[in-house]
Amino acid sequence: MDCLEQEKEKSGVVGKVHWVGVLNKHSLSISVFPRLYHLIPDGEITSIKINRVDPSESLSIRLVGGSETPLVHIIIQHIYRDGVIARDGRLLPGDIILKVNGMDISNVPHNYAVRLLRQPCQVLWLTVLREQKFRSRNNGQALDAYGSRDDSFHVILNKSSPEEQLGIKLVRKVDEPGVFIFNVLDGGVADRHGQLEENDRVLAINGHDLRYGSPESAAHLIQASERRVHLIVSRRVRRSPDIFQEASWNSNGSWSPGPAERSNTPKPLHPTITCHEKVVNIQKDPSESLGMTVAGGASHREWDLPIYVISVEPGGVISRDGRIKTGDILLNVDGVELTEVSRSEAVALLKRTSSSIVLKALEVKQYEPQEDCSSPAALDSNHNMAPHSDWSPSWVMWLELPRCLYNCKDIILRRNTAGSLGFCIVGGYEEYNGNKPFFIKSIVEGTPAYNDGRIRCGDILLAVNGRSTSGMIHACLARLLKELKGRITLTIVSWPGTFL
């Protein structure tokens, strides 16, 4: 059997599969990225131009998110050193990609965005947003320090219970930073109070500066409030709805479509991913190689993954048999489980010189509507049709695997003060949308989560101090995380983002 023998630690490449070792964020910014990331301001939508001599050169980044997930947006999970994006030096992990060469991807499924970003081009225009992270302020500091002006005023709303919603929808605008009220829902807390209006700008909530904040950060602050929500608001001349950006958040953190995506967003594909277990008995000459390449496995580095097939050699044993395909997850070889072995151990098992080998595998299929082959949506619609050297698993494929294949890890953070743990969560139980996983959307620099270095955008938060997050509403988990002190154990499952 052919296997991936050489591992390039510095470049983050294992044979044909791109990896990265555990890299401290500070070393990334100092030794890898040129010091140009300050050119993208926090909280402002920015367009950047990236030039490639080779129009097909890999961007060398990993992406998470998509409209079919609670993350909604497409987010950079990791940037590899020496790649196109790293050499440009302006983007950082956590940046949100809103448009690709003018095409809106702020509310499209994951694989649709990936296809657009994989289109060869020498000049790549990206519209991005680096969210302003909310910062905790001292209680004694004057709220007016957060940008109150002559047209600003204070609004105090009282909830009847910590879980009650304020009844406002929050959005960001295309042409200016900050958080704005898109709608005040009839009969809600804000409507009964009577002070807030559509298009009001929220400057601060409970002492947290939101002049360059995001709707999601605002929703997080509202949910974390017990009963009293103190807002500083400014009111300007009303503008037409078409200035609002593609996505809006309810005050409970759930996403709802705004005018922009209803009218301007391209109609995306909604792939369906299915998993089917199969047992295959392969007959071969004892000296003959199986003729396939595998990756994954338990690793001391970034991800512990299942063993999966990344290529099948044309004319080889596996190719002639036809039942094991690129993308299949290998579960068992001749009765030996592969779920927690390293890649080298799996290769050794697969190289046994016997005339018969029994493979238990999970076939992962992705079904998508057929489109015009010239459209971006039609590209790579079946991963088995992509060139073997280019195939790698997509982030959304990992999410569909059975829970028994999740490799969970406990991350211990310590917080002895009132400061934030340093990450923003999305997801949770919603009355009309059911139960959704909690994802890590952003990580705040200088906080316990950031300094630990093991938590990434797109990670799933399964439990806190042993308490499962399944079935929790967002406000409940936000309050739990806010109140915990001392030693805090987060149970995380982390999947590598889609490589580009």
Side-chain angles (χ1 to χ4, degrees):
M1 172 189 166
D2 299 329
C3 61
L4 304 174
E5 297 292 345
Q6 292 188 338
E7 298 183 356
K8 301 179 182 178
E9 296 281 347
K10 291 186 178 180
S11 65
V13 177
V14 181
K16 301 174 184 175
V17 180
H18 296 262
W19 295 109
V20 62
V22 176
L23 298 173
N24 182 280
K25 290 182 175 68
H26 302 295
S27 66
L28 276 174
S29 61
I30 293 172
S31 62
V32 178
F33 298 111
R35 291 184 174 273
L36 297 176
Y37 42 84
H38 63 281
L39 296 178
I40 297 181
D42 288 2
E44 297 182 20
I45 296 173
T46 308
S47 290
I48 63 172
K49 177 184 178 183
I50 295 173
N51 294 305
R52 288 188 287 192
V53 175
D54 178 358
S56 298
E57 183 181 1
S58 169
L59 297 177
S60 292
I61 60 176
R62 287 192 180 274
L63 295 180
V64 296
S67 62
E68 71 271 50
T69 74
L71 290 173
V72 179
H73 288 120
I74 301 298
I75 302 171
I76 298 176
Q77 182 194 56
H78 189 83
I79 300 176
Y80 287 91
R81 63 179 71 191
D82 301 327
V84 171
I85 298 299
R87 293 199 304 269
D88 177 82
R90 287 175 287 182
L91 295 177
L92 287 173
D95 287 350
I96 297 170
I97 302 178
L98 298 174
K99 293 184 180 180
V100 179
N101 290 333
M103 183 71 74
D104 181 2
I105 64 166
S106 62
N107 181 35
V108 301
H110 181 87
N111 288 338
Y112 183 90
V114 166
R115 291 184 193 98
L116 287 178
L117 283 160
R118 280 182 173 156
Q119 292 301 287
C121 60
Q122 286 189 311
V123 177
L124 177 66
W125 283 96
L126 297 178
T127 301
V128 299
L129 174 67
R130 182 171 301 157
E131 291 193 7
Q132 173 76 28
K133 313 301 181 188
F134 60 85
R135 295 179 174 86
S136 178
R137 305 290 183 176
N138 295 327
N139 292 333
Q141 188 169 347
L143 287 171
D144 288 331
Y146 305 136
S148 274
R149 305 179 330 206
D150 292 340
D151 61 355
S152 68
F153 55 96
H154 294 250
V155 176
I156 297 176
L157 301 177
N158 293 300
K159 301 188 286 186
S160 60
S161 69
E163 289 77 22
E164 185 179 17
Q165 307 303 322
L166 296 185
I168 57 176
K169 289 188 177 181
L170 303 171
V171 296
R172 63 167 59 86
K173 293 186 178 182
V174 171
D175 57 349
E176 54 187 315
V179 179
F180 294 81
I181 295 177
F182 176 66
N183 190 21
V184 179
L185 303 180
D186 292 341
V189 174
D191 181 50
R192 295 195 302 270
H193 189 272
Q195 277 191 269
L196 295 177
E197 295 181 1
E198 293 179 7
N199 207 40
D200 284 350
R201 183 181 181 190
V202 180
L203 302 175
I205 295 177
N206 292 345
H208 295 263
D209 186 359
L210 286 172
R211 289 171 298 169
Y212 296 95
S214 68
E216 189 175 31
S217 296
H220 178 86
L221 293 170
I222 292 169
Q223 292 154 9
S225 305
E226 290 295 325
R227 294 179 184 270
R228 184 175 181 270
V229 185
H230 186 170
L231 303 95
I232 296 179
V233 177
S234 68
R235 184 163 295 158
R236 298 180 181 180
V237 177
R238 192 171 303 231
R239 303 193 182 195
S240 61
D242 62 2
I243 65 172
F244 288 102
Q245 187 155 352
E246 298 84 353
S248 61
W249 282 264
N250 296 317
S251 62
N252 67 352
S254 63
W255 175 86
S256 63
E261 70 269 13
R262 284 197 294 264
S263 59
N264 299 328
T265 302
K267 293 187 181 298
L269 298 176
H270 294 274
T272 300
I273 295 174
T274 62
C275 297
H276 169 68
E277 195 171 291
K278 58 188 176 184
V279 177
V280 177
N281 192 330
I282 304 291
Q283 302 296 322
K284 68 180 185 68
D285 185 280
S287 62
E288 195 175 12
S289 167
L290 284 174
M292 66 178 176
T293 308
V294 299
S299 170
H300 64 279
R301 294 178 299 165
E302 284 225 82
W303 285 284
D304 288 335
L305 300 174
I307 298 293
Y308 60 96
V309 180
I310 63 169
S311 68
V312 174
E313 179 185 334
V317 172
I318 294 294
S319 175
R320 295 196 304 269
D321 180 86
R323 289 175 289 177
I324 297 294
K325 301 178 176 64
T326 298
D328 284 356
I329 308 290
L330 299 185
L331 304 175
N332 185 298
V333 179
D334 289 336
V336 179
E337 295 294 328
L338 298 179
T339 50
E340 294 183 3
V341 305
S342 67
R343 185 187 59 82
S344 59
E345 290 171 325
V347 168
L349 289 168
L350 291 164
K351 279 186 171 181
R352 287 177 176 175
T353 56
S354 60
S355 58
S356 177
I357 184 168
V358 178
L359 298 175
K360 186 178 181 180
L362 194 68
E363 183 171 345
V364 184
K365 286 187 176 181
Q366 183 170 293
Y367 301 94
E368 301 179 36
Q370 294 299 310
E371 297 283 334
D372 185 331
C373 62
S374 64
S375 69
L379 300 176
D380 295 335
S381 60
N382 185 329
H383 65 246
N384 288 317
M385 296 175 64
H388 296 311
S389 60
D390 294 337
W391 187 86
S392 62
S394 74
W395 180 70
V396 290
M397 187 207 85
W398 292 123
L399 298 182
E400 295 299 321
L401 294 187
R403 287 290 292 269
C404 62
L405 293 179
Y406 281 23
N407 195 299
C408 304
K409 58 184 177 182
D410 286 339
I411 295 176
I412 297 172
L413 303 180
R414 296 185 181 275
R415 180 177 63 187
N416 299 316
T417 67
S420 168
L421 284 173
F423 55 86
C424 179
I425 54 172
V426 292
Y429 177 79
E430 297 176 7
E431 183 177 358
Y432 298 106
N433 294 319
N435 192 28
K436 295 181 179 179
F438 283 100
F439 285 89
I440 306 294
K441 183 171 185 185
S442 59
I443 302 167
V444 182
E445 186 176 359
T447 60
Y450 178 90
N451 294 332
D452 179 84
R454 289 176 291 172
I455 299 176
R456 307 174 188 83
C457 298
D459 285 357
I460 305 172
L461 180 58
L462 297 179
V464 178
N465 285 347
R467 180 180 175 183
S468 173
T469 61
S470 178
M472 279 191 188
I473 64 172
H474 191 282
C476 178
L477 181 56
R479 188 166 62 251
L480 173 65
L481 291 169
K482 178 184 177 182
E483 293 171 351
L484 291 174
K485 298 290 190 300
R487 188 175 185 269
I488 302 166
T489 303
L490 306 176
T491 303
I492 297 283
V493 61
S494 183
W495 297 114
T498 304
F499 181 79
L500 291 175

